[in-house]
Amino acid sequence: MGKIDIPYYLIDYPHIAASTPLSQLLFVIKQAELIDWKDLPKDVFCNPRKIGEGVYGEVFATSYSGQSIALKVIPFYGNEFIFKEKVNGEYLLDAASILPEILINQELSALSDVSENFSTPNFIPLLKVDVVKGLYPEEFLVAWDEFDNVNGSENDRPSEYASEQQLFVAMSMAMGGVDLEHYKMCDENQVISVLFQIAISLVVAEERLEFEHRDLHIGNVLVLEKGTTVFRDLEEDEELFTGGGDYQFDIYRMMRNANQGDWMSFNPRSNCFWLHYLAVKLFNQHLCKKAISKKRRRELLKKWDHLLEFDSVQELFHHNDFLVDLQHHMIVKHFPRR
């Protein structure tokens, strides 16, 4: 019998040969067996509020054992199909597809460890992951309906696909703040501060994890009022490469051109592309147009255009054009060249 190539996250798993994607998922999140919704802390269901949605699930603002969280709820199937129809226009993910998102969020959360040479608090911490089964909680359905009445949901109501045996992964994330699409930037200093915070976080992730975000649009960058910028990772969608009407879709194609379709390899230029996209968006936001003169915005955009020449965001911290801004916005320390 050939040797089994065991991934790092299953090194200590005692029954790897007989494992299933669902059992591997449970092992990674340190959950012995499937649980019911009622097994979660009671405050999870106390006045939840839906704050967002995606094709694969819903996001609720609630609490978990006294801590305010954003709870991302994703339906999926384990060892067998429970619901075979499409949900929100797509077929449900399987456990094997859920696992990478959990692992990525765990690794990004670990970047806040200040004992490491490179660390950052700016990725949204993953606090807890639970795999639950059962009917969608009534409290969440009420919150879903309230969101739908105000905003008009594009998703299917969860009651349409939930059942006693339906599986969900419930990811408890720290509250991240307001996304840049809706956050009101008041002046040039605030915009540049946000861009530098994102840049330094990308440098840390590149150095520690060889990480590419690949979808860092303004809806995926969150700003806390206390000034910390955090952002989250989303799965890329092949259909994005055919989109148009916004610079965001050009970035997807620029990434593909840079990596020649090789998405398995680390290509930090994608982080440069997305940081340039954010600079263009922020300096051209309606509020910034009032706070920053047209001439000054042209000067700033010309400077940040250098990102398109870089192979890594780390080069920004060595470039003379950014030195004054870096000295103004943060304590500059030497970053070793790779």
Side-chain angles (χ1 to χ4, degrees), residues 7-44:
Y8 75 93
Y9 52 87
L10 296 176
I11 291 296
D12 297 323
Y13 190 45
H15 309 296
I16 183 66
S19 67
T20 65
L22 178 58
S23 67
Q24 292 177 12
L25 174 59
L26 292 173
F27 174 78
V28 167
I29 66 173
K30 297 179 172 58
Q31 184 173 317
E33 58 186 4
L34 294 174
I35 62 175
D36 296 324
W37 284 104
K38 63 180 177 59
D39 296 318
L40 296 182
K42 288 183 172 55
D43 59 346
V44 170

Side-chain angles (χ1 to χ4, degrees), residues 16-189:
I16 183 66
S19 67
T20 65
L22 178 58
S23 67
Q24 292 177 12
L25 174 59
L26 292 173
F27 174 78
V28 167
I29 66 173
K30 297 179 172 58
Q31 184 173 317
E33 58 186 4
L34 294 174
I35 62 175
D36 296 324
W37 284 104
K38 63 180 177 59
D39 296 318
L40 296 182
K42 288 183 172 55
D43 59 346
V44 170
F45 309 105
C46 293
N47 301 314
R49 177 172 55 89
K50 179 175 171 178
I51 56 175
E53 64 183 23
V55 67
Y56 292 118
E58 317 290 336
V59 184
F60 299 92
T62 185
S63 298
Y64 195 108
S65 297
Q67 182 169 0
S68 296
I69 63 165
L71 187 69
K72 187 175 182 180
V73 181
I74 305 173
F76 75 102
Y77 70 90
N79 300 329
E80 60 179 340
F81 280 102
I82 301 300
F83 187 82
K84 299 181 180 180
E85 305 299 323
K86 288 186 176 181
V87 173
N88 307 329
E90 301 285 345
Y91 290 108
L92 293 184
L93 298 174
D94 59 4
S97 300
I98 292 290
L99 186 55
E101 180 166 359
I102 303 299
L103 293 168
I104 289 170
N105 277 280
Q106 287 178 338
E107 294 292 342
L108 292 177
S109 295
L111 294 180
S112 62
D113 183 0
V114 295
S115 67
E116 297 288 342
N117 289 332
F118 289 83
S119 64
T120 173
N122 289 346
F123 289 94
I124 296 179
L126 176 63
L127 305 174
K128 184 75 166 63
V129 181
D130 296 287
V131 173
V132 299
K133 69 174 182 178
L135 295 170
Y136 218 78
E138 185 62 32
E139 296 86 351
F140 287 176
L141 289 175
V142 170
W144 194 97
D145 290 337
E146 291 174 349
F147 179 94
D148 185 39
N149 290 335
V150 174
N151 302 286
S153 176
E154 296 182 3
N155 283 1
D156 298 324
R157 193 173 191 267
S159 58
E160 296 180 15
Y161 55 82
S163 67
E164 293 286 357
Q165 299 303 315
Q166 179 59 53
L167 301 183
F168 297 88
V169 60
M171 300 172 58
S172 299
M173 315 286 292
M175 291 298 290
V178 181
D179 65 73
L180 280 184
E181 190 170 5
H182 298 96
Y183 188 80
K184 303 298 183 182
M185 293 288 177
C186 59
D187 57 34
E188 175 183 328
N189 284 334

Side-chain angles (χ1 to χ4, degrees), residues 117-304:
N117 289 332
F118 289 83
S119 64
T120 173
N122 289 346
F123 289 94
I124 296 179
L126 176 63
L127 305 174
K128 184 75 166 63
V129 181
D130 296 287
V131 173
V132 299
K133 69 174 182 178
L135 295 170
Y136 218 78
E138 185 62 32
E139 296 86 351
F140 287 176
L141 289 175
V142 170
W144 194 97
D145 290 337
E146 291 174 349
F147 179 94
D148 185 39
N149 290 335
V150 174
N151 302 286
S153 176
E154 296 182 3
N155 283 1
D156 298 324
R157 193 173 191 267
S159 58
E160 296 180 15
Y161 55 82
S163 67
E164 293 286 357
Q165 299 303 315
Q166 179 59 53
L167 301 183
F168 297 88
V169 60
M171 300 172 58
S172 299
M173 315 286 292
M175 291 298 290
V178 181
D179 65 73
L180 280 184
E181 190 170 5
H182 298 96
Y183 188 80
K184 303 298 183 182
M185 293 288 177
C186 59
D187 57 34
E188 175 183 328
N189 284 334
Q190 193 173 30
V191 174
I192 294 176
S193 176
V194 166
L195 289 171
F196 277 146
Q197 288 184 65
I198 296 171
I200 194 66
S201 298
L202 288 173
V203 168
V204 171
E206 287 178 4
E207 184 70 23
R208 291 270 300 276
L209 303 174
E210 294 192 346
F211 174 74
E212 297 175 57
H213 196 288
R214 296 182 178 174
D215 202 18
L216 192 55
H217 57 74
I218 56 176
N220 288 341
V221 180
L222 306 180
V223 179
L224 290 175
E225 289 296 331
K226 66 181 181 180
T228 299
T229 305
V230 293
F231 51 100
R232 65 177 182 270
D233 180 73
L234 297 179
E235 298 178 13
E236 62 269 17
D237 185 340
E238 186 69 20
E239 294 181 359
L240 295 176
F241 297 103
T242 61
D246 190 279
Y247 186 35
Q248 172 183 342
F249 297 103
D250 294 325
I251 298 296
Y252 297 127
R253 289 184 282 271
M254 289 162 63
M255 286 193 299
R256 171 177 278 176
N257 183 63
N259 65 26
Q260 297 295 302
D262 180 9
W263 298 101
M264 292 294 292
S265 300
F266 174 50
N267 190 334
R269 287 197 70 195
S270 63
N271 291 332
C272 298
F273 296 155
W274 281 110
L275 193 58
H276 183 261
Y277 157 88
L278 290 173
V280 170
K281 284 292 184 180
L282 289 177
F283 288 127
N284 285 326
Q285 271 191 348
H286 176 69
L287 200 63
C288 286
K289 288 182 178 179
K290 295 181 179 180
I292 307 174
S293 70
K294 186 175 182 179
K295 179 181 178 181
R296 179 57 179 161
R297 279 190 284 115
R298 282 200 302 265
E299 293 172 350
L300 290 167
L301 287 170
K302 183 177 180 180
K303 179 191 299 185
W304 287 84

